Each structure stands twice: as structure tokens, then as C-alpha cells.
Amino acid sequence: MSVLYIVGTPIGNLGDITFRALETLKNADVVAAEDTRHTLELLTHFEIRKPMISCHAQNEDSAAEKIIALLKDGKNVAYASDAGMPGISDPGAILAKKVRDAGFTVTPIPGPSAFATLVSVAGPGGKTLVFEGFLSPSPGKRRKRLRELLEMKKAFILYESPFRIVKLLSDIADIESERRIVVGRELTKIHEEITDGTAVQVRDEYAQRQSIKGEIAVFVAGF
């Protein structure tokens, strides 16, 4: 029976791709991707040529139906989001559920994620870890959810854009100035940076910068 493979891809450094991910992409009949242009660069780097289909947040339902049709036709499909593991703050969850409901096997091909990468170097943060992903861009909703998370006293991970990171760090510092946080920017890439300190210290470090670039993950320690 045909299979949908959910493939983890590098979050920055192409050397992080697994042998199993490469074999899966090479052997698939079709590669589905969040952004076909982005994934095409990855495939081209490893000299893999495959038919591609787009499956992103805005068309995930309709794309799932097309992928199910391919599976019914006996094709094996590999799905990759732009970077990291699909379904973790990326499209893929709806696709996996619809394909499984249609009676086909959905097989994970694990790979890197900013979540696991930052946790591995963040140091102790308590027994429980919560993954929150992106908070609302609305200041009021963001602060409300931050208060709820901080009051739990558990460690949690957030993702944030470089355009809003100072606002996020300021909100955390205003609520709990001494809570330890670790910010990972451009993880696995050439300009990888990990900043560790109290909420106020890290906020002040980022607030003085003229410009901030890259993908960012934030670890907030618990007790």
C-alpha cells in the first residue's frame, strides 16, 4: 500500500539532514512541500529530481485531497515543510490526519527542529516542558497568554519573528524580570547565537541592537 512520509528537513545547516530523509526523498514518487521553491533548493543540493506538489497552510485541505488521489494511484509521497519537522508550527498536521483517515499509512521520518535544538543547550528548566509555538501578534493577547504560562512555573518554548522579539522579551521582563530565559537565533546556521540570562538581561541585550535577523526560539525556564 502507498505511504505518506512526513520528512524532517534541516532548519539551517544542510549537513543536518539524515540518511533516512535523503533515501525517502530519493525513493518517493512525488514530493509535497510547504514551499516548492524552498524544497526544490534542498532537492537540487542533493541532486534529487522529483515531481512536486504544493501543500501549505492556505491550501492544506485541498492539497490533502490531491495527495490522497496520488496515494490511491499507487504513488508514495514525501511531505516536507520549509524547515524542521512538519506539524510543529508548520503545515502537515491536517494532511497527516486526512491521509490516515483515508486508510493510508503515515510514516514519520524524524529530523531537526528548533524546539529540540534549543532545549538541548538551554540547561535545566524543570521537569515539565510546554511547547507554545508562536503567540498572538496582538499585544493584549500576547501578554495575557504570557502571564498564564509564567504562572504555571513550568518551562516553555516560544517561537518569534525578529520583528517582534524585543516586544516579547519586554513583556516577559515586565511580568517576571528575574525569570531565566535562553534565546536561540539562527540555530545551526553560520551566525548561530545563544543568549542566556534573566529576562531583563536578555531584553536589554536585544533592545540595544540596530537590527535583528533570523529565526528565533525562546526557552523560558521553570522551577
Side-chain angles (χ1 to χ4, degrees):
M1 179 179 285
S2 300
V3 176
L4 170 66
Y5 297 95
I6 303 297
V7 183
T9 57
I11 60 175
N13 191 319
L14 294 183
D16 289 335
I17 197 164
T18 67
F19 288 117
R20 190 177 176 210
L22 285 176
E23 287 302 309
T24 300
L25 293 168
K26 288 176 182 177
N27 293 327
D29 296 297
V30 178
V31 172
E34 179 182 4
D35 185 332
T36 54
R37 295 166 300 179
H38 184 95
T39 302
L40 180 60
E41 292 179 5
L42 175 70
L43 297 179
T44 301
H45 180 83
F46 290 105
E47 300 181 343
I48 300 171
R49 294 176 177 82
K50 294 290 176 179
M52 301 187 73
I53 182 172
S54 176
C55 178
H56 49 76
Q58 286 70 44
N59 78 340
E60 197 168 354
D61 283 298
S62 59
E65 298 306 317
K66 294 178 181 177
I67 290 169
I68 290 170
L70 289 168
L71 295 168
K72 288 179 178 178
D73 201 33
K75 307 291 186 183
N76 289 319
V77 180
Y79 174 71
S81 57
D82 285 355
M85 283 300 296
I88 303 180
S89 287
D90 287 298
I94 292 173
L95 172 63
K97 180 68 164 59
K98 283 183 172 290
V99 168
R100 193 162 48 247
D101 287 348
F104 293 95
T105 299
V106 181
T107 298
I109 309 296
S113 72
F115 168 82
T117 301
L118 182 57
V119 170
S120 73
V121 298
K127 293 183 178 180
T128 303
L129 177 63
V130 176
F131 176 65
E132 185 72 11
F134 287 96
L135 294 179
S136 171
S138 165
K141 291 181 179 179
R142 183 178 63 245
R143 285 193 288 267
K144 180 177 183 294
R145 183 55 181 156
L146 276 173
R147 288 186 183 278
E148 293 171 347
L149 290 166
L150 290 164
E151 286 172 1
M152 291 193 301
K153 307 300 182 184
K154 299 174 181 177
F156 59 93
I157 290 272
L158 303 171
Y159 288 167
E160 190 52 278
S161 78
F163 310 106
R164 291 196 300 266
I165 185 60
V166 173
K167 293 178 181 178
L168 173 67
L169 295 174
S170 294
D171 287 341
I172 297 173
D174 288 344
I175 300 169
E176 282 199 31
S177 61
E178 296 303 305
R179 182 74 74 99
R180 187 175 73 87
I181 65 175
V182 183
V183 176
R185 187 181 65 84
E186 291 286 82
L187 292 171
T188 80
K189 301 176 184 177
I190 294 175
H191 300 293
E192 176 180 270
E193 178 186 31
I194 297 171
T195 307
D196 188 334
T198 66
V200 167
Q201 289 170 339
V202 178
R203 187 272 314 276
D204 291 348
E205 165 68 23
Y206 268 79
Q208 70 181 357
R209 302 185 182 191
Q210 295 298 315
S211 66
I212 302 170
K213 298 179 180 179
E215 302 295 327
I216 297 172
V218 180
F219 172 89
V220 181
F223 295 93

